[in-house]
Amino acid sequence: MLKRREIDFQIFEMLEAERLCAQPAFLSQDRETIDAILDSAQRVADETFATHTALTDAEEPQFVDGRVRMRPEVKSALNAFVDGGFMGTSFPERIGGLQLPYIISQVINWIFSDANVGTAGYPFLTMAAANLIQAHGSDEQKQRYMLPLIEGRWFGTMCLSEPQAGSSLADIRTRAEPTGEGDYRISGTKMWISGGEHELSENIVHLVLAKVPGQAAGTRGISLFIVPKYRLDEHGAPGPRNDVSLAGLNHKMGYRGTVNTLLNFGENDDCRGYLIGQLNQGLAAMFHMMNEARIGVGLNAAVLAYSGYQHSLDYARNRPQGRPATQRDPSAPQSMIIEHADVRHMLMRQKVYSEGALALCLYGASLVDRKQLSASDEQAAEIELELSILTPLIKAWSSHYGLKANYWGLQILGGYGYTRDYPLERIYRDNRLNPIHEGTNGIQSLDLLGRKVLQNQGAAFRLLMTRIGETVSACTGHPVLGEYASQLHQAQMRVLEVTTALGKLASGGGIASLLANSWTYLDMLGHLVVAWMWLRQAVVAQVALDQPGGDQAYYDGKRQACAYFYRWELPQVLMQADQLLAMDDSVLTLRDEHF
Amino acid sequence: MLKRREIDFQIFEMLEAERLCAQPAFLSQDRETIDAILDSAQRVADETFATHTALTDAEEPQFVDGRVRMRPEVKSALNAFVDGGFMGTSFPERIGGLQLPYIISQVINWIFSDANVGTAGYPFLTMAAANLIQAHGSDEQKQRYMLPLIEGRWFGTMCLSEPQAGSSLADIRTRAEPTGEGDYRISGTKMWISGGEHELSENIVHLVLAKVPGQAAGTRGISLFIVPKYRLDEHGAPGPRNDVSLAGLNHKMGYRGTVNTLLNFGENDDCRGYLIGQLNQGLAAMFHMMNEARIGVGLNAAVLAYSGYQHSLDYARNRPQGRPATQRDPSAPQSMIIEHADVRHMLMRQKVYSEGALALCLYGASLVDRKQLSASDEQAAEIELELSILTPLIKAWSSHYGLKANYWGLQILGGYGYTRDYPLERIYRDNRLNPIHEGTNGIQSLDLLGRKVLQNQGAAFRLLMTRIGETVSACTGHPVLGEYASQLHQAQMRVLEVTTALGKLASGGGIASLLANSWTYLDMLGHLVVAWMWLRQAVVAQVALDQPGGDQAYYDGKRQACAYFYRWELPQVLMQADQLLAMDDSVLTLRDEHF
């Protein structure tokens, strides 16, 4: 359930998408054109995606005779998606794209994922694969492999993990032996491959991490290969099967519409792959795309959080149950449960988590656009720096708190929420994936504290603090917002203190102690950043409220939600700062038998 | 996965079960006898319950031609349960029970629920029904209905909710019209009835809340009826079908082994029911059993939390992935993930939540026994007072934090945790029920703050504070435990301050404002009480550590977990106390359009 009002607020009011779209780098787009594209996306999503969400959850893809059998509605929906021109939204017009800003493509993602997150998985994986080839492929590779992806004729996958190597990609075992004919013979097993096998498209382009024998151990010996399901003939048409076979399907708690596979490469020693980018630069190429993939995961988590919020809000407005505590007459009519204080808390928690996460993820997406538009290398580097520290927060905070939002949404529906008759049950299962994939939240916390915060003498962290400080300064002394600015500043000073202390620990060589409580650090910094996002939303709301005219209730709701976040959530930052400042690393000295 | 060591600690070391079992009120039981009973329960659970847990989750009960079809393994397991003598564990010997203390019956519940929480649902509902008849039924009703339940020939249900009346029982519509022949004609629809229809037993005894026409509106006009599936002949044998029909099954996220039904009573105007207890005292009779039912839900949540902890611990000990942050050589062997600090945090959170909840629930169970053994009415009343305030905490804290424990357990397994190949996925879905049923956690928070804390001039709250104070006093000045005692005391003083302030609000008539933040109050008080439980555990561990001999690692683990709770969890009490002292009730003034 999607409220278009919220999309408009997030992109046009918060991120000035209209001005962004008018930049020459994009096809000249006015508000009307963007609105028409979003209307069209919503229509396709409503008519073809939302109609089979429960169905493909109940009847997940099956492994039959080495092939994947799935509901036919998935293919019909994806055909409509491709026909609607949504596959290439952010790609240049000259290669068949719509040349829209990245944030608009993310809003389209929002619309389709809200309707059916399982079916939406295929095109978004395909776009990620096309993006990677665009960034690192040769001209020939772009011509032969990227264009059919953007045209939606072929679909793509990312093959990173293996059964024994998930978080630790250094330990992958898939091999790529040069054939002497310019290509490579691939052999190995890849795990958790979404969209790894299906009959939804004419071909599947796997992007596969593998090691060429004789190169360095660990991550510095990893290269990236294009491995098509069907090899191409000289005209680029799919020819004979490549030696990639489906070894099994993973049966997941949720996201069941997206088939998830175990793939064997080269069982018959005849799997051909084509190096993309430089030898041994495979992980770097893959991580180049990781920012965007992680924005995508964060956004999906935020979208599911917001969907759950809207569904539970609808239920709360229409379910009569109980009476106010002051109503002693049992024959009085029952209240709608939205009247109960505890239900309102559950709604507000969902609102501050989901709209806070949406604001954060879309802010991150806007940095991708601003980087593209930047006037100088220095400016681009600065934007990249800001995005680099926000990325683990976008991924991990949104998925951790997005799931909490769904917990409260389901709780509002009570027993009904626990049944498959209402969508909260499915949304809750779907969203449980997001803290896990694209790097678990624990891995994100190591990335944040071990790399992003401390590297370059803390440059990214300082930049983030400057950005938050700018919003604080702009609000200081304001009759309504000044109070929040002051609270945010206070929390920011505590976070700075913690980070400085941890920096000293790091320079003293205490890397293990530094990282001992990395999740708490991410949780703290994420809450600070989302408090900043809420103040940014309140600023925009306040400007609107100061003008006469309609929609006051919507903006007042934003201001109320900001107040709620500062009252009930921000204190966690101070508490966690105290905990971290204690510099306790006793978790390191626990022994196995203590558990 | 159950560690017998933990059972022994919780009941023999924490609650002195051996001394309890030796009381004349129980069949004279020594440690060896209890051990043999628990061994036997574990064997039956392993051999017949644990063997079909995944199966009945995958193939949930089906509605076929008005009947329930389910896997045959359920019936075999329940036969073994009954044959093992586990149905009547806490009932007197003279009526076929084992006459064991309530805590021992709860440990047997633990063993079977750990093995298969879905199949374990049937006997525990049956025991609850037998309990209710024992407490409120006539001698004839006990003879005709209770004995077959204790013998395990018939099964029981509790029929409270209706589609339009879940949390608000005042609004039930099921009617009971006197027939003039001493019984009643029942008509209405009951929702969420676990075990409402099946062919596992010769008969089903429904205990049904209904309203006799002409009586008071609301809860004061509710009576309780025995409604058998098959009416009894003069010898008490099941005769013709009563007019109770299965209208449908609920399809749930988890707990799928327990069939959950929608039942129609009196569709053909021929459903006979028999009043149990006094007219219009139905809700009181039902609530009489509620303490125990809520201990049961809390314990199930704690059991699932502990199961998930043990499974993820096992995985963490055996899964190699990654290397220490200080290890730069990628060809060095990978570490087991239990070596990683972030994984240890996830394990410790599970340990403190699950073992804290187990300690709390079993402490509550021990009060049931102590009440039965009490030497005077005053003593019994005092124990009842303590149990009354702990009950909503047992139910709501254990289910809220038990599910959090499962969240972290699943996270340790990463992608594997999200699949149905490992039990965490199922446990996480199963445990999502516990914050909902037997009164949602929101309802528990209203019960806690609106009734238990404030009624009788705060007598129950003061008693709880006294109990906590006793543990604090006993530890004050101790070289190891003194520090925790001091922190607990400090937190207790803040909770007292909050409660006093809320009491003033209540006496000023501000009932709506008082209840505005009831969940935060429950969360705060629950954390305080579990901190107390952890200090109690640390005390027992310290005594053992002060003596020479084996098992030092186990006790040291308890002490480490206590330290962990005080470092990472207790500060939440202080934060929430600050939030509550702000006496903010702005959630009440939100308008519908703000959401």
Side-chain angles (χ1 to χ4, degrees):
Chain A
M1 284 181 91
L2 211 167
K3 217 155 63 178
R4 179 65 170 270
R5 183 68 189 87
E6 189 62 24
I7 291 183
D8 290 347
F9 178 81
Q10 293 291 351
I11 63 169
F12 293 114
E13 299 181 63
M14 288 288 289
L15 297 171
E16 300 182 317
E18 210 168 343
R19 199 196 296 182
L20 184 72
C21 292
Q23 298 290 314
F26 304 113
L27 280 191
S28 175
Q29 307 281 9
D30 55 14
R31 172 76 186 256
E32 267 180 40
T33 317
I34 299 292
D35 281 347
I37 292 169
L38 300 184
D39 287 346
S40 159
Q42 189 68 60
R43 199 164 46 243
V44 173
D46 288 345
E47 291 172 4
T48 69
F49 276 62
T51 44
H52 66 281
T53 318
L55 203 59
T56 42
D57 178 65
E59 296 179 36
E60 62 183 342
Q62 293 192 321
F63 183 32
V64 182
D65 299 333
R67 296 160 73 164
V68 174
R69 181 185 293 170
M70 66 172 75
R71 297 281 319 183
E73 290 85 353
V74 179
K75 191 171 169 63
S76 312
L78 293 173
N79 287 346
F81 181 92
V82 168
D83 292 346
F86 298 110
M87 194 62 102
T89 46
S90 62
F91 287 89
E93 190 189 24
R94 63 184 158 74
I95 55 173
L98 291 180
Q99 206 164 330
L100 288 169
Y102 184 67
I103 54 164
I104 305 297
S105 74
Q106 290 307 294
V107 169
I108 293 171
N109 179 348
W110 178 357
I111 291 171
F112 284 102
S113 295
D114 172 75
N116 186 333
V117 79
T119 296
Y122 299 96
F124 298 120
L125 283 163
T126 299
M127 284 185 237
N131 249 323
L132 212 159
I133 301 174
Q134 187 183 33
H136 298 281
S138 66
D139 286 344
E140 191 200 345
Q141 288 171 336
K142 289 180 193 174
Q143 187 66 34
R144 283 164 71 85
Y145 296 99
M146 182 188 73
L147 287 186
L149 293 174
I150 294 174
E151 290 163 10
R153 293 188 290 116
W154 303 356
F155 285 179
T157 78
M158 301 289 200
C159 302
L160 287 72
S161 300
E162 300 179 6
Q164 83 295 344
S167 296
S168 179
L169 287 173
D171 293 283
I172 63 167
R173 292 184 197 143
T174 296
R175 290 162 62 97
E177 303 239 21
T179 59
E181 299 165 19
D183 56 5
Y184 292 79
R185 209 178 293 279
I186 310 291
S187 59
T189 299
K190 291 288 179 181
M191 182 68 164
W192 310 120
I193 310 308
S194 288
E197 176 54 30
H198 53 71
E199 290 164 13
L200 298 167
S201 58
E202 298 164 28
N203 203 354
I204 301 176
V205 179
H206 303 290
L207 297 176
V208 179
L209 290 182
K211 289 181 170 178
V212 175
Q215 305 297 316
T219 55
R220 286 177 306 149
I222 296 179
S223 302
L224 180 64
F225 298 87
I226 292 176
V227 182
K229 173 179 171 184
Y230 296 103
R231 293 186 205 165
L232 311 194
D233 66 19
E234 67 268 36
H235 309 295
R241 246 341 261 247
N242 205 356
D243 183 14
V244 182
S245 62
L246 180 64
L249 302 186
N250 292 306
H251 298 288
K252 295 169 295 172
M253 181 189 289
Y255 264 81
R256 290 186 177 171
T258 308
V259 66
N260 189 274
T261 63
L262 178 68
L263 295 180
N264 283 340
F265 293 83
E267 275 187 323
N268 303 307
D269 204 25
D270 192 27
C271 177
R272 296 300 175 102
Y274 313 99
L275 182 69
I276 177 168
Q278 300 293 308
L279 187 71
N280 297 335
Q281 295 298 312
L283 209 60
M286 198 57 99
F287 271 90
H288 178 91
M289 308 313 300
M290 214 52 111
N291 280 347
E292 295 186 21
R294 289 177 174 172
I295 293 173
V297 171
L299 186 67
N300 270 1
V303 164
L304 290 172
Y306 189 73
S307 294
Y309 168 44
Q310 294 299 313
H311 281 292
S312 65
L313 177 58
D314 184 55
Y315 185 88
R317 282 177 169 148
N318 293 294
R319 166 76 172 174
Q321 193 80 174
R323 292 166 186 81
T326 48
Q327 173 56 270
R328 295 292 179 182
D329 176 7
S331 62
Q334 296 198 70
S335 310
M336 295 303 163
I337 63 172
I338 197 173
E339 298 299 323
H340 300 316
D342 190 54
V343 173
R344 290 173 167 215
H345 273 291
M346 295 194 271
L347 290 170
M348 286 306 276
R349 280 180 214 124
Q350 290 181 80
K351 184 175 172 76
V352 299
Y353 294 157
S354 65
E355 295 177 10
L358 286 167
L360 174 61
C361 296
L362 292 170
Y363 178 81
S366 78
L367 294 180
V368 175
D369 286 320
R370 283 172 44 206
K371 187 177 153 198
Q372 192 194 334
L373 296 174
S374 53
S376 66
D377 287 353
E378 288 76 28
Q379 201 186 11
E382 190 180 90
I383 294 169
E384 175 61 31
L385 202 59
E386 186 177 354
L387 183 56
S388 76
I389 193 169
L390 286 177
T391 300
L393 300 174
I394 286 172
K395 193 278 176 184
W397 193 94
S398 300
S399 57
H400 190 72
Y401 287 92
L403 186 62
K404 282 187 191 236
N406 292 149
Y407 172 86
W408 292 114
L410 195 153
Q411 193 70 13
I412 287 176
L413 274 70
Y416 292 101
Y418 195 64
T419 70
R420 305 205 284 282
D421 297 339
Y422 287 82
L424 258 302
E425 190 270 344
R426 183 182 63 248
I427 291 171
Y428 183 72
R429 284 186 289 107
D430 287 343
N431 218 357
R432 183 64 189 86
L433 178 61
N434 288 314
I436 297 173
H437 67 162
E438 286 294 341
T440 65
N441 285 358
I443 294 290
Q444 301 298 326
S445 74
L446 296 174
D447 177 52
L448 176 70
L449 187 53
R451 287 196 203 104
K452 305 302 177 55
V453 166
L454 294 178
Q455 71 192 6
N456 302 323
Q457 290 81 47
F461 179 79
R462 283 200 310 277
L463 178 61
L464 178 61
M465 291 298 114
T466 303
R467 290 280 174 274
I468 296 176
E470 287 162 4
T471 306
V472 167
S473 297
C475 297
T476 300
H478 186 281
V480 177
L481 306 175
E483 183 195 334
Y484 306 126
S486 146
Q487 290 178 35
L488 183 58
H489 179 70
Q490 187 203 354
Q492 193 185 356
M493 290 303 103
R494 293 291 284 158
V495 169
L496 187 61
E497 198 181 335
V498 170
T499 309
T500 307
L502 288 170
K504 284 191 188 133
L505 202 63
S507 54
I511 184 76
S513 298
L514 165 72
L515 296 176
N517 309 311
S518 59
W519 170 255
T520 302
Y521 185 87
L522 184 148
D523 201 5
M524 173 192 70
L525 187 59
H527 249 54
L528 182 78
V529 165
V530 174
W532 171 41
M533 288 294 143
W534 270 110
L535 185 53
R536 283 171 49 90
Q537 294 186 80
V539 167
V540 171
Q542 190 62 46
V543 169
L545 284 166
D546 289 342
Q547 291 158 359
D551 226 2
Q552 299 283 304
Y554 176 83
Y555 293 114
D556 203 25
K558 283 285 180 192
R559 211 171 50 179
Q560 298 277 3
C562 177
Y564 192 91
F565 195 90
Y566 278 72
R567 187 176 301 124
W568 294 104
E569 297 292 332
L570 188 61
Q572 180 183 309
V573 174
L574 306 179
M575 179 184 80
Q576 291 178 324
D578 286 345
Q579 290 176 319
L580 289 165
L581 274 171
M583 294 292 161
D584 176 76
D585 61 0
S586 58
V587 80
L588 300 175
T589 56
L590 287 171
R591 297 200 317 274
D592 189 279
E593 319 88 76
H594 287 147
F595 292 102
Chain B
M1 284 180 91
L2 211 167
K3 217 156 62 178
R4 180 65 170 271
R5 183 68 189 86
E6 189 62 24
I7 291 182
D8 290 345
F9 178 80
Q10 292 292 351
I11 64 169
F12 293 114
E13 299 181 64
M14 288 288 289
L15 298 171
E16 300 182 317
E18 210 169 344
R19 199 197 297 182
L20 185 72
C21 292
Q23 297 290 315
F26 304 113
L27 279 192
S28 175
Q29 308 281 11
D30 55 14
R31 173 74 186 257
E32 267 180 40
T33 317
I34 299 292
D35 282 346
I37 292 170
L38 299 183
D39 288 346
S40 160
Q42 189 68 59
R43 199 164 47 242
V44 174
D46 288 345
E47 291 172 4
T48 69
F49 276 61
T51 44
H52 66 281
T53 318
L55 203 59
T56 42
D57 178 65
E59 297 180 33
E60 63 185 340
Q62 293 192 321
F63 182 31
V64 181
D65 299 333
R67 297 161 73 164
V68 174
R69 180 186 293 168
M70 67 172 74
R71 296 281 318 183
E73 290 84 352
V74 179
K75 192 170 169 59
S76 312
L78 293 174
N79 288 346
F81 182 92
V82 169
D83 291 347
F86 299 110
M87 194 63 101
T89 47
S90 62
F91 289 88
E93 190 191 25
R94 64 183 158 74
I95 55 174
L98 291 180
Q99 205 165 331
L100 289 168
Y102 184 68
I103 55 164
I104 305 296
S105 74
Q106 290 306 296
V107 169
I108 294 171
N109 180 348
W110 179 357
I111 291 170
F112 284 101
S113 295
D114 172 76
N116 187 332
V117 79
T119 296
Y122 301 96
F124 299 119
L125 283 162
T126 299
M127 285 185 236
N131 250 321
L132 212 160
I133 300 174
Q134 187 183 33
H136 298 281
S138 65
D139 287 345
E140 191 202 344
Q141 287 171 337
K142 289 180 194 174
Q143 187 66 34
R144 284 164 70 85
Y145 296 100
M146 182 188 74
L147 288 185
L149 293 174
I150 294 174
E151 289 162 11
R153 292 188 290 116
W154 303 355
F155 285 180
T157 78
M158 300 289 201
C159 302
L160 286 72
S161 299
E162 300 179 6
Q164 83 295 345
S167 296
S168 179
L169 287 172
D171 293 283
I172 63 166
R173 291 185 197 142
T174 297
R175 290 162 62 96
E177 304 239 21
T179 60
E181 298 164 21
D183 57 2
Y184 292 80
R185 208 178 294 282
I186 310 290
S187 58
T189 299
K190 290 288 178 181
M191 181 68 165
W192 311 120
I193 310 308
S194 289
E197 176 54 30
H198 54 71
E199 290 165 13
L200 298 167
S201 58
E202 298 163 27
N203 202 355
I204 301 176
V205 179
H206 303 290
L207 297 177
V208 179
L209 291 182
K211 289 180 169 179
V212 175
Q215 305 297 315
T219 54
R220 287 176 305 147
I222 296 179
S223 302
L224 179 63
F225 298 87
I226 292 176
V227 182
K229 173 179 172 184
Y230 295 104
R231 293 186 206 165
L232 311 194
D233 67 18
E234 66 269 37
H235 309 295
R241 245 342 258 249
N242 205 355
D243 183 14
V244 182
S245 62
L246 180 64
L249 301 186
N250 292 308
H251 297 288
K252 295 169 295 174
M253 182 190 289
Y255 264 81
R256 290 186 177 172
T258 309
V259 67
N260 189 275
T261 62
L262 178 66
L263 295 180
N264 284 340
F265 292 85
E267 276 188 322
N268 303 306
D269 204 23
D270 191 28
C271 178
R272 295 301 175 102
Y274 314 99
L275 182 68
I276 178 168
Q278 300 293 307
L279 187 71
N280 297 335
Q281 295 298 311
L283 209 60
M286 198 56 102
F287 271 91
H288 178 90
M289 308 314 300
M290 215 50 111
N291 280 345
E292 295 185 20
R294 288 177 176 172
I295 292 173
V297 171
L299 185 67
N300 270 2
V303 163
L304 290 171
Y306 189 73
S307 294
Y309 168 44
Q310 293 300 313
H311 281 292
S312 65
L313 177 57
D314 184 56
Y315 185 88
R317 283 178 168 148
N318 292 294
R319 167 75 172 175
Q321 193 80 174
R323 291 165 187 81
T326 48
Q327 173 57 271
R328 295 291 180 182
D329 175 7
S331 63
Q334 297 198 70
S335 310
M336 295 302 163
I337 63 172
I338 197 173
E339 297 300 322
H340 301 315
D342 190 54
V343 173
R344 291 174 166 216
H345 272 293
M346 295 194 271
L347 289 169
M348 286 306 276
R349 280 180 214 124
Q350 290 181 80
K351 184 176 173 74
V352 299
Y353 294 157
S354 64
E355 295 177 10
L358 286 167
L360 174 61
C361 295
L362 293 170
Y363 179 81
S366 78
L367 294 180
V368 175
D369 287 319
R370 283 172 45 206
K371 187 178 153 199
Q372 191 193 334
L373 297 174
S374 54
S376 66
D377 288 353
E378 289 75 29
Q379 201 187 12
E382 191 181 90
I383 294 170
E384 175 61 31
L385 203 60
E386 187 177 352
L387 183 57
S388 76
I389 193 169
L390 286 177
T391 301
L393 299 174
I394 286 171
K395 194 277 175 184
W397 193 94
S398 301
S399 58
H400 190 70
Y401 286 92
L403 186 62
K404 281 187 192 236
N406 292 149
Y407 172 86
W408 292 113
L410 196 154
Q411 193 71 13
I412 287 176
L413 273 72
Y416 292 100
Y418 196 64
T419 69
R420 306 205 283 283
D421 296 339
Y422 287 82
L424 258 304
E425 190 269 345
R426 182 183 65 248
I427 291 171
Y428 183 72
R429 285 187 286 107
D430 286 343
N431 218 357
R432 184 64 190 85
L433 177 62
N434 288 314
I436 297 174
H437 67 164
E438 284 296 339
T440 64
N441 285 358
I443 294 290
Q444 300 298 326
S445 74
L446 296 175
D447 177 51
L448 176 70
L449 187 52
R451 288 195 202 105
K452 305 303 179 53
V453 166
L454 294 178
Q455 71 192 7
N456 302 322
Q457 290 81 47
F461 179 78
R462 283 200 311 276
L463 178 63
L464 178 61
M465 291 298 114
T466 302
R467 289 281 174 272
I468 296 176
E470 287 163 4
T471 306
V472 167
S473 298
C475 298
T476 300
H478 186 281
V480 177
L481 305 175
E483 183 194 334
Y484 306 125
S486 146
Q487 289 178 36
L488 183 58
H489 179 70
Q490 187 203 353
Q492 194 186 355
M493 289 303 104
R494 293 290 285 158
V495 169
L496 187 61
E497 196 181 338
V498 169
T499 309
T500 307
L502 288 170
K504 285 190 187 132
L505 203 63
S507 55
I511 184 76
S513 299
L514 164 73
L515 295 175
N517 310 311
S518 59
W519 170 255
T520 301
Y521 185 87
L522 185 148
D523 201 5
M524 173 191 71
L525 186 59
H527 249 53
L528 182 78
V529 165
V530 174
W532 171 41
M533 288 294 142
W534 269 110
L535 185 52
R536 282 171 48 89
Q537 294 186 79
V539 167
V540 171
Q542 191 63 48
V543 170
L545 284 165
D546 289 342
Q547 291 159 358
D551 226 2
Q552 298 283 304
Y554 176 83
Y555 294 114
D556 203 25
K558 283 286 180 192
R559 211 171 51 179
Q560 297 277 3
C562 177
Y564 192 91
F565 195 90
Y566 278 72
R567 186 177 300 125
W568 295 104
E569 297 293 330
L570 188 62
Q572 181 184 308
V573 174
L574 306 178
M575 178 184 80
Q576 291 178 323
D578 287 345
Q579 290 176 319
L580 289 165
L581 275 171
M583 294 290 159
D584 176 76
D585 61 359
S586 58
V587 79
L588 300 175
T589 55
L590 288 171
R591 297 199 318 274
D592 189 279
E593 319 88 76
H594 287 146
F595 292 103

